[in-house]
Amino acid sequence: TIVPATSVPVGSHVSVRTGDKIPADGVVEEGTSTVDESSLTGESRPISKLPESLVSGGSINVGQTRLVIRTTSTVDDSAVSRLIRLVEEAQSNRSATEKLVDSFAKRYTPIVLTAALLMCTIPWLWGVEVGRYWTLNGLIVVVISCPCALTISTPVTYAAGLAATAQRGIIVKGGARLEALGNVKKVVLDKTGTITEGNFDLIHLDVVGKSHDRDQVLAMLALMEGPSSHPLSATLVNAAKKEGIGAPVDVSLTDHTVLKGEGVTARIDNKNVYVGNERLFERLGLYNALDNAQKRSARKWSTEGGTVGFIGVECVGIIGMFCVSDKIRDEARDVITGLMKDGYEVTMLTGDSDGAAKAVGRAVGLPDEAIHSHLMPEDKLHYIGSIRGMGATKQP
């Protein structure tokens, strides 16, 4: 049954077909599909949704399977409604210029009106001709000196700017922040999904050791990456499917955990399995078990701009190494070089290896000193805090 989204109560089960919008925030009860959340999160790649996955109202089911969703909020409390309220709140957040104009108008207007009133009344004491002459001038003063242009144009300008940015998926929290953009001197960009498209392809896959063959490594990668929402995960799952290999169904996967800035881990048949970057396997003490030829291959893939990862099994060690490559956005170089020509200091932050980061950075015109790699999420936050502290009198 089709009903208005505003009539859907909490706890309802709704069917969202392919191409339909999800009416409210909820939990997937049935179905496996992909959801486009770009209007809410800016994530360019559709996110895989499985049973028990959270979904947001306003996102779109772009997969091939319908989803049955149990709503956990009403339309008024959904993510998209909160986004709308954020824009409205931003428009009511007045900038320093607006406050200055209002303060000026409060003093300016009474003075102008008082002067005009005196011009239109007192001169009549000297005769009709004199009175008419000064009354005309008094009315001219009222018309010319009216502060409407100042008091109306300023908020209208900010409202137009906030609306224009919101239409492009950019939320600016009020006129004060919009005005502060005029003082920006430093621009910090993430790599994956910002400078690059976030659409990866598997370029290399090498088996390490003799405990597993290529098909087994691909099957384990598909099993490990299936529950993850990282862009790399879908690439590895799709690569396995292209070779006719799916996640094995006769094994148990438990305790699937995302390791921030490193990868994922889970227990498969009571053994810990890890998929992630060099940082993760160095921490586990497994990376040094690779021979020199394998390490050279990993470094070569990285310097060519690829993102290198490994898969390892407890008590066995690394059983495979792979490289995925991400395409740089067509407009990235023009945007970054344009910003630098205009005098902005542009920096790229990424959790990828140094080689992959520099390959992408150089391709878009960034100098090596503006490229920072091997960063955890909290490292990126600390970096932003450090440049804000350095420019206490500026707005970075």
Side-chain angles (χ1 to χ4, degrees):
T1 303
I2 299 176
V3 298
T6 53
S7 302
V8 178
V10 175
S12 299
H13 286 77
V14 295
S15 175
V16 182
R17 297 169 298 184
T18 298
D20 285 351
K21 276 189 178 182
I22 297 171
D25 297 352
V27 179
V28 176
E29 292 282 323
E30 179 184 326
T32 300
S33 189
T34 52
V35 174
D36 182 358
E37 298 180 341
S38 58
S39 60
L40 297 173
T41 64
E43 175 60 60
S44 59
R45 190 179 182 87
I47 305 300
S48 176
K49 297 296 181 181
L50 308 170
E52 301 303 320
S53 295
L54 299 178
V55 291
S56 300
S59 54
I60 303 172
N61 180 12
V62 295
Q64 302 300 315
T65 309
R66 75 155 190 159
L67 296 174
V68 176
I69 295 170
R70 173 173 52 82
T71 59
T72 57
S73 71
T74 62
V75 171
D76 292 337
D77 293 327
S78 66
V80 68
S81 296
R82 293 194 296 271
L83 185 62
I84 292 171
R85 286 197 293 270
L86 185 62
V87 174
E88 292 173 344
E89 178 186 333
Q91 291 179 339
S92 64
N93 186 358
R94 304 169 71 202
S95 69
T97 301
E98 290 177 282
K99 293 176 181 177
L100 176 63
V101 168
D102 282 350
S103 176
F104 172 74
K106 286 178 181 178
R107 294 168 173 78
Y108 174 77
T109 303
I111 294 173
V112 169
L113 292 178
T114 301
L117 179 62
L118 294 175
M119 291 170 67
C120 292
T121 54
I122 295 177
W124 288 89
L125 297 174
W126 283 269
V128 175
E129 291 297 327
V130 176
R132 287 176 178 173
Y133 173 80
W134 283 102
T135 298
L136 176 61
N137 284 294
L139 294 174
I140 292 173
V141 168
V142 170
V143 172
I144 293 176
S145 304
C146 179
C148 291
L150 286 174
T151 56
I152 294 176
S153 63
T154 305
V156 167
T157 302
Y158 287 123
L162 294 170
T165 54
Q167 288 173 352
R168 290 164 174 79
I170 304 169
I171 301 300
V172 181
K173 294 185 68 176
R177 275 75 175 184
L178 188 64
E179 185 176 294
L181 287 175
N183 297 321
V184 167
K185 300 300 179 186
K186 300 179 181 180
V187 178
V188 181
L189 302 172
D190 190 24
K191 182 179 80 70
T192 304
T194 302
I195 295 177
T196 64
E197 292 183 349
N199 298 320
F200 294 88
D201 291 315
L202 181 64
I203 307 300
H204 302 286
L205 174 63
D206 288 355
V207 176
V208 178
K210 298 180 179 179
S211 61
H212 295 72
D213 59 26
R214 180 184 175 85
D215 288 354
Q216 290 173 321
V217 171
L218 270 174
M220 193 171 291
L221 281 171
L223 181 63
M224 287 289 294
E225 297 296 335
S228 178
S229 61
H230 193 279
L232 283 177
S233 303
T235 301
L236 295 172
V237 172
N238 291 334
K241 287 181 179 178
K242 287 179 181 178
E243 297 192 22
I245 299 171
V249 296
D250 56 344
V251 298
S252 63
L253 176 73
T254 58
D255 299 332
H256 190 277
T257 306
V258 175
L259 305 173
K260 287 184 178 180
E262 293 183 333
V264 294
T265 182
R267 289 187 67 80
I268 297 179
D269 289 342
N270 296 319
K271 284 188 176 181
N272 290 327
V273 179
Y274 305 91
V275 179
N277 54 24
E278 181 181 328
R279 183 192 300 117
L280 169 61
F281 287 89
E282 283 184 341
R283 179 171 66 81
L284 296 173
L286 300 177
Y287 183 76
N288 288 331
L290 295 174
D291 60 37
N292 291 332
Q294 291 163 341
K295 290 180 181 179
R296 283 196 299 271
S297 293
R299 285 193 293 269
K300 180 175 180 293
W301 297 345
S302 180
T303 54
E304 291 173 350
T307 298
V308 180
F310 307 87
I311 177 170
V313 181
E314 180 185 16
C315 300
V316 178
I318 294 176
I319 62 172
M321 50 192 288
F322 56 87
C323 173
V324 295
S325 180
D326 190 7
K327 182 182 177 184
I328 297 173
R329 291 182 184 270
D330 294 336
E331 68 275 15
R333 184 176 182 87
D334 289 340
V335 171
I336 291 174
T337 54
L339 286 170
M340 292 192 295
K341 284 180 181 177
D342 289 339
Y344 295 97
E345 181 183 329
V346 182
T347 304
M348 183 182 78
L349 308 181
T350 180
D352 279 351
S353 65
D354 187 61
K358 286 183 177 178
V360 172
R362 290 166 182 167
V364 296
L366 284 173
D368 287 353
E369 59 270 19
I371 302 169
H372 300 270
S373 56
H374 289 295
L375 297 180
M376 300 283 282
E378 54 267 30
D379 296 330
K380 297 178 183 179
L381 180 62
H382 293 327
Y383 181 85
I384 297 296
S386 69
I387 62 175
R388 287 180 64 88
M390 289 169 60
T393 60
K394 299 180 180 179
Q395 182 69 33

